[in-house]
Amino acid sequence: MIRPYSIHFILREAWRGLTRARLSSMAAIGIIAFTLVLLGMVGYIFTILDNLFTEVSHQFEIVVYLQDGLKEGEKALLQERLSKIEGVKEVIYVSKEEAWKRFKESFKGNKLALDIVGKNPLPDSFEVKLVDPLKSSKMAEIFKDLPGVKDVDFPLEAVNKFSRFIRWIEYAGGVITLVFIVVALFVIANVIRLSFVSRLRELEIMRLVGASNLFIKGPFILEGVICGFFGGIAGTIVLTILLYFLNTYIISSFPLFSIDISIYSLRTSFILIIFGMMVGGIGSVLFLERHAKG
Amino acid sequence: MIEFKDVTKYYDNGVLALEDVSFRIEKGEFVFIVGPTGMGKSTLLKLIYREETPTKGDVIVGGMNVARLKPHQVAFLRRRLGIVFQDFKLLPNRTVYENVAFALEVIGLNKREIRTRVGRVLDVVGLLHKSNCYPAELSGGEQQRTSIARALVNNPPILIADEPTGNLDITTSWEIMDFLKRINTRGTTIIMATHNREIVDTMRQRVIALYKGRVVKDEPNGSYE
């Protein structure tokens, strides 16, 4: 049904609408660009936090204390059983001598403390690292019931606090982005409104001579989509530059974090531009549905 | 061609515009709808091109029950109607040519087809030499002829004219009437609302008179009174 002449007409009218009210079109492009930059930044922060979490959670471990007097064979069997439990990443044996050595190391210079403790009171233990540190308490329950285990210990508070912190930041980022998407939709709808009002006469004639909806609404929707496209391009450029500097800074300041910086790949840019175009299109449809029935 | 069956129209604010209006208009007729301002003339025309729908009764245009058309079908009804208004409704920032071409552009015709058809219709209304003028550079009569050209460019079988001479002086009005008569002779059905007594009395065409929303007279070769 759509003929090349129709496409030409719709494109021309959409472009006319865009260039007639330049200031408001620029505002729309700006707000879409800003929203996309925000979206990209939030995505970037999520990625960093994710990396940070993995990094930090490597240090979380469950310490499984063994009963005294287990034979070497029993210990080996227990280690074997532990490492076969699903969700366990690594099991390291720490003998009581090793533990005592570490203890003395950390209290070096505190003669009093060492004197009070006297001779080695520490049991043999396993340090168990989990795939998902958030499951610590559940896993600890399982370990506790294994034969030969005296007690388990894990940094519950730390794990929980840390994951709560990360989740909170992610929620906040999500909400802020959502708010700006809504704002962008309204700004787009307003641009389309201006364009609509300036074309009232033409629209009246179009209806009277029997123009189809494609011709009446098409240019407005396209106008929104074009705003979104330019907003997407602008946003992607700003975001790429911003992330480049941010990334350089972070890598030079925290060399220990090996952060995956693939967030500003070509694919992401592409997705952001498409997303901008969708916001533009939906913004104009929202306006047309409310004000341009029939 | 056009049939009204017991059509009653109330507006949303409760105002009665038409009451029990029935008539038939055959292909090729020239019909005046007369009556004082505010007696339902424009409403009657709007029911034909479906700017309004009847509260009761049926309006049939070219075999289509207008009230039952779905929104996307309205466009196709209107492509079969040419509509002319008192205020011309021309686009001020487009030339005569562009104004007429606009009606074809928005229904998706290609450039070559548009050029042929617009050229032909501008020749018919005698405005070929003013193709590149803007409406502001034209006289009232020329503006109305441009709007008639726009109404005719799609070759509609029916031309609806709502007070087409209302803004024109008497000489120019006659020029337009001669012109409409010529179009009618070529087979186009014309329905024209007017309160210009002299024109109606001189033309001697069918007259449907409305008073307070009712048809008070419907006679061939009629006069205003």
Side-chain angles (χ1 to χ4, degrees), chain B residues 21-119:
Chain B
V21 170
S22 294
F23 60 82
R24 255 179 96 93
I25 295 174
E26 302 300 335
K27 187 171 165 13
E29 275 195 89
F30 194 127
V31 182
F32 285 116
I33 312 289
V34 303
T37 324
M39 291 299 156
K41 298 193 302 286
S42 290
T43 304
L44 190 149
L45 297 184
K46 281 179 180 166
L47 288 169
I48 297 175
Y49 60 88
R50 217 235 200 214
E51 191 65 16
E52 299 291 345
T53 49
T55 313
K56 239 170 38 199
D58 290 317
V59 177
I60 316 283
V61 177
M64 293 184 269
N65 189 327
V66 173
R68 296 218 191 108
L69 293 181
K70 299 197 178 73
H72 73 272
Q73 293 173 310
V74 174
F76 293 96
L77 167 75
R78 291 188 180 167
R79 287 181 199 187
R80 305 184 53 192
L81 305 171
I83 311 173
V84 176
F85 297 92
Q86 179 173 3
D87 60 355
F88 321 135
K89 295 197 194 296
L90 297 175
L91 299 171
N93 53 348
R94 293 182 198 234
T95 64
V96 167
Y97 179 91
E98 288 165 348
N99 263 287
V100 178
F102 186 70
L104 297 178
E105 257 181 76
V106 300
I107 59 173
L109 262 59
N110 72 48
K111 271 227 154 64
R112 188 142 40 88
E113 220 171 321
I114 290 175
R115 205 177 309 133
T116 327
R117 288 219 216 166
V118 175

Side-chain angles (χ1 to χ4, degrees), chain B:
Chain B
M1 187 107 264
I2 297 174
E3 191 177 0
F4 275 55
K5 291 185 197 165
D6 305 318
V7 173
T8 297
K9 172 68 184 176
Y10 282 97
Y11 281 109
D12 290 339
N13 57 15
V15 172
L16 174 71
L18 292 175
E19 193 173 12
D20 284 331
V21 170
S22 294
F23 60 82
R24 255 179 96 93
I25 295 174
E26 302 300 335
K27 187 171 165 13
E29 275 195 89
F30 194 127
V31 182
F32 285 116
I33 312 289
V34 303
T37 324
M39 291 299 156
K41 298 193 302 286
S42 290
T43 304
L44 190 149
L45 297 184
K46 281 179 180 166
L47 288 169
I48 297 175
Y49 60 88
R50 217 235 200 214
E51 191 65 16
E52 299 291 345
T53 49
T55 313
K56 239 170 38 199
D58 290 317
V59 177
I60 316 283
V61 177
M64 293 184 269
N65 189 327
V66 173
R68 296 218 191 108
L69 293 181
K70 299 197 178 73
H72 73 272
Q73 293 173 310
V74 174
F76 293 96
L77 167 75
R78 291 188 180 167
R79 287 181 199 187
R80 305 184 53 192
L81 305 171
I83 311 173
V84 176
F85 297 92
Q86 179 173 3
D87 60 355
F88 321 135
K89 295 197 194 296
L90 297 175
L91 299 171
N93 53 348
R94 293 182 198 234
T95 64
V96 167
Y97 179 91
E98 288 165 348
N99 263 287
V100 178
F102 186 70
L104 297 178
E105 257 181 76
V106 300
I107 59 173
L109 262 59
N110 72 48
K111 271 227 154 64
R112 188 142 40 88
E113 220 171 321
I114 290 175
R115 205 177 309 133
T116 327
R117 288 219 216 166
V118 175
R120 205 186 305 146
V121 81
L122 283 180
D123 191 26
V124 172
V125 300
L127 282 177
L128 214 43
H129 63 293
K130 301 251 173 168
S131 288
N132 295 319
C133 294
Y134 288 89
E137 302 164 350
L138 302 175
S139 69
E142 287 167 334
Q143 290 188 38
Q144 190 57 296
R145 265 146 65 200
T146 307
S147 91
I148 292 172
R150 183 180 62 198
L152 293 177
V153 73
N154 203 23
N155 287 323
I158 301 171
L159 184 74
I160 295 170
D162 193 355
E163 307 262 13
T165 60
N167 273 351
L168 305 175
D169 61 54
I170 191 66
T171 327
T172 318
S173 296
W174 277 115
E175 202 185 294
I176 296 294
M177 290 318 297
D178 282 346
F179 182 64
L180 289 179
K181 187 62 205 142
R182 263 196 1 250
I183 295 161
N184 176 241
T185 328
R186 293 191 327 179
T188 307
T189 309
I190 295 184
I191 301 141
M192 169 172 161
T194 185
H195 50 224
N196 188 318
R197 187 178 308 256
E198 190 193 333
I199 285 177
V200 176
D201 288 347
T202 313
M203 294 282 287
R204 287 285 146 193
Q205 299 290 341
R206 177 175 172 190
V207 174
I208 295 176
L210 292 175
Y211 189 74
K212 292 190 171 168
R214 286 182 161 272
V215 175
V216 291
K217 183 173 72 176
D218 182 355
E219 53 190 33
N221 307 316
S223 62
Y224 197 91
E225 238 22 278

Side-chain angles (χ1 to χ4, degrees), chain A residues 115-157:
Chain A
D115 281 345
I116 289 170
V117 176
K119 69 183 211 343
N120 184 3
L122 299 170
D124 292 326
S125 64
F126 289 120
E127 287 173 6
V128 182
K129 285 188 175 161
L130 301 178
V131 179
D132 180 4
L134 291 180
K135 292 200 176 115
S136 290
S137 60
K138 216 175 99 197
M139 298 298 276
E141 284 305 312
I142 298 172
F143 299 161
K144 211 179 249 172
D145 293 339
L146 294 175
V149 173
K150 191 164 114 194
D151 199 6
V152 291
D153 192 14
F154 62 95
L156 178 66
E157 263 313 290

